């Protein structure tokens, strides 16, 4: 969509973003969380992520219609160059380029931080698509340049059904032997 604006998130976005996320918690198996966080809990999560990583919002006519962020992949220093990514798009704005615009902006910011690998943990239908989960997120990530690197079978149960979980990865920078440590996103200049 041409009119989508990608911008830095602020804690004042928590109300709108938590509503986007709540839709997926309450109506889908895209997230294995089964109780939507309150606006306050969501803001606390945002705050924790924004200490080091980018958190972005897609806006259409002044309304938040999607968001994405990166977070710690694993809490060990050897993993500092890897992040886990998350993206959610408001119903009605999916498959219109909103998620792709968010991920492209996120990837550029992560490269500037010194990040090398992006990972996505994605719910996957175990026995074919159903009314709660399809292959849309996996296909989106494939289209965004991610490749499948692992499957955990029947590891999540939601709505009385078992689901798989897959990990996908995308290498976004060269891997030299002694890389500089990634820098906090907040320390970089933003346009």
């Amino acid at each position: 969509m041409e009119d989508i604006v990608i911008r830095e998130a602020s804690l004042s976005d928590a109300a709108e973003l938590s509503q986007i996320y709540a839709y997926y918690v309450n109506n889908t198996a895209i997230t294995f969380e089964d109780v939507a966080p309150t606006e306050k809990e969501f803001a606390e999560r945002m705050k924790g992520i924004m200490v080091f990583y980018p958190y972005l919002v897609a806006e259409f006519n002044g309304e938040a219609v999607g968001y994405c962020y990166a977070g710690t992949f694993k809490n060990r220093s050897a993993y500092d160059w890897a992040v886990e990514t998350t993206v959610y798009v408001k119903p009605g704005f999916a498959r219109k380029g909103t998620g792709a615009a968010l991920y492209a902006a996120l990837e550029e910011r992560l490269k500037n931080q010194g990040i090398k690998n992006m990972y996505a943990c994605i719910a996957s239908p175990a026995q074919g698509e159903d009314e709660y989960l399809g292959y849309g997120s996996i296909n989106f990530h494939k289209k965004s340049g991610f490749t499948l690197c692992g499957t955990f079978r029947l590891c999540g149960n939601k709505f009385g059904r078992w689901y798989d979980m897959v990990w996908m990865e995308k290498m976004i920078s060269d891997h030299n032997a002694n890389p500089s440590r990634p820098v906090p996103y907040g320390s970089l200049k933003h346009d």
Side-chain angles (χ1 to χ4, degrees), residues 90-107:
K90 187 174 186 173
F93 287 85
R95 295 181 177 85
K96 295 183 179 180
T98 306
L102 281 163
Y103 253 23
L106 180 65
E107 184 176 326

Side-chain angles (χ1 to χ4, degrees), residues 13-36:
D13 293 311
E16 282 184 289
L17 302 187
S18 66
Q19 289 305 306
I20 293 171
Y21 184 61
Y23 170 83
Y24 289 97
V25 171
N26 297 328
N27 300 291
T28 78
I30 288 172
T31 173
F32 286 167
E33 193 161 13
D34 55 6
V35 176

Side-chain angles (χ1 to χ4, degrees), residues 30 87 95 120-123 133-143 168:
I30 288 172
V87 61
R95 295 181 177 85
C121 177
I122 304 166
L133 185 64
Y135 295 104
S137 187
I138 292 170
N139 292 335
F140 165 78
H141 282 83
K142 283 180 183 175
K143 190 175 177 183
M168 297 184 77

Side-chain angles (χ1 to χ4, degrees), residues 1 3-7 13 16-17 19-21 24 56-68 87-99 101-102:
M1 293 184 92
D3 299 330
I4 294 287
V5 173
I6 306 298
R7 63 170 175 77
D13 293 311
E16 282 184 289
L17 302 187
Q19 289 305 306
I20 293 171
Y21 184 61
Y24 289 97
L56 306 176
V57 173
E59 210 172 56
F60 180 73
N61 290 337
E63 173 190 3
V65 296
Y67 66 94
C68 72
V87 61
Y88 284 97
V89 175
K90 187 174 186 173
F93 287 85
R95 295 181 177 85
K96 295 183 179 180
T98 306
L102 281 163

Side-chain angles (χ1 to χ4, degrees), residues 155-167:
C155 65
N157 186 292
K158 190 170 180 182
F159 304 122
R161 297 171 189 197
W162 286 100
Y163 294 97
D164 294 344
M165 184 267 294
V166 302
W167 277 99

